[in-house]
Amino acid sequence: ETGVTQTPRHLVMGMTNKKSLKCEQHLGHNAMYWYKQSAKKPLELMFVYNFKEQTENNSVPSRFSPECPNSSHLFLHLHTLQPEDSALYLCASSQGGQGRYGYTFGSGTRLTVV
Amino acid sequence: AQSVTQPDIHITVSEGASLELRCNYSYGATPYLFWYVQSPGQGLQLLLKYFSGDTLVQGIKGFEAEFKRSQSSFNLRKPSVHWSDAAEYFCAVGGLDAGGTSYGKLTFGQGTILTVHP
């Protein structure tokens, strides 16, 4: 399998639930990213990982907890979410530190918090 | 700091008409420029990219873009739009800083929604 794969594609969770989003890439990239895309808002960069190390956290609330066990896998652990956290969560990867090649995106996880 | 402006939030064209989506960027050194397309509920797909050399770049699905350094622009064009081109389009900038160190982080514009009328 090639590209960036995100699972699940859709997720509905209550505010007291704990769930995780998964992202996997088979492109040999070294950098991975989580983005949040809400309706009528710009893409929001949440976290950046380079060679498994977190290099950026854009003031994301602690109810979002990323994990990057290796360069191919990225998780976003969710707990005690709010309705305003409902959005499309996109994972992307790139050749580490090389912005010239752009990002490869997954298809996203549509999250609904009820 | 780098930034990207897409002045048009929503554009409507008729099928078969030509299309131009505008993108202006601010970047201190050598920019790398990208256009992405996003269909509803999907991720972003790379249409084309500019690094250096020929300022007119060709992409997938019949799209092209022209880099104009003097205008800090990277507009996306298509001579004849198809109904399947209806989507949201994002311009992004990244690249080398003055010291020659490239960055992995891209800055995205707010997107332009394209509607195609039959």
Side-chain angles (χ1 to χ4, degrees):
Chain A
E1 190 173 345
T2 59
V4 179
T5 303
Q6 288 188 245
T7 53
R9 289 297 311 276
H10 301 273
L11 178 64
V12 179
M13 59 185 289
M15 289 190 284
T16 59
N17 291 158
K18 289 185 180 181
K19 296 286 185 183
S20 296
L21 310 185
K22 180 181 176 182
C23 176
E24 187 173 0
Q25 59 94 3
H26 298 280
L27 300 168
H29 290 170
N30 296 315
M32 297 187 79
Y33 312 81
W34 278 117
Y35 280 87
K36 176 183 179 183
Q37 189 178 34
S38 304
K40 302 187 188 304
K41 285 188 174 181
L43 279 168
E44 298 175 53
L45 178 63
M46 301 174 71
F47 302 103
V48 180
Y49 279 82
N50 263 305
F51 294 94
K52 305 187 300 179
E53 299 299 320
Q54 187 180 119
T55 56
E56 191 157 342
N57 175 341
N58 279 327
S59 303
V60 180
S62 60
R63 58 185 183 268
F64 295 91
S65 175
E67 179 190 2
C68 189
N70 54 60
S71 293
S72 299
H73 294 86
L74 184 64
F75 296 89
L76 188 63
H77 303 299
L78 316 171
H79 66 96
T80 324
L81 293 192
Q82 304 299 310
E84 60 265 27
D85 297 323
S86 298
L88 182 67
Y89 288 84
L90 293 166
C91 173
S93 69
S94 72
Q95 193 59 37
Q98 295 292 324
R100 66 175 292 165
Y101 299 112
Y103 297 170
T104 301
F105 283 84
S107 297
T109 294
R110 171 68 62 186
L111 173 67
T112 303
V113 181
V114 298
Chain B
Q2 60 199 58
S3 66
V4 177
T5 301
Q6 293 179 245
D8 304 304
I9 297 173
H10 196 167
I11 282 185
T12 300
V13 299
S14 298
E15 191 169 16
S18 63
L19 171 70
E20 183 170 35
L21 302 182
R22 296 183 292 165
C23 172
N24 293 100
Y25 69 90
S26 172
Y27 198 76
T30 306
Y32 299 151
L33 294 153
F34 307 84
W35 274 100
Y36 286 85
V37 61
Q38 184 182 30
S39 298
Q42 298 296 314
L44 278 68
Q45 180 186 18
L46 182 66
L47 279 177
L48 47 78
K49 54 193 174 189
Y50 170 79
F51 301 144
S52 63
D54 193 347
T55 56
L56 184 64
V57 293
Q58 302 296 320
I60 61 172
K61 306 186 181 190
F63 284 93
E64 65 178 27
E66 186 171 11
F67 171 60
K68 293 185 177 179
R69 185 184 294 276
S70 62
Q71 298 178 20
S72 297
S73 70
F74 188 56
N75 294 347
L76 181 71
R77 301 194 294 247
K78 187 169 184 178
S80 177
V81 170
H82 188 263
W83 62 267
S84 61
D85 293 324
E88 188 162 15
Y89 292 80
F90 293 89
C91 182
V93 66
L96 291 168
D97 67 359
T101 303
S102 64
Y103 293 101
K105 191 172 72 171
L106 298 184
T107 296
F108 288 85
Q110 293 196 304
T112 298
I113 297 171
L114 174 65
T115 299
V116 181
H117 281 166

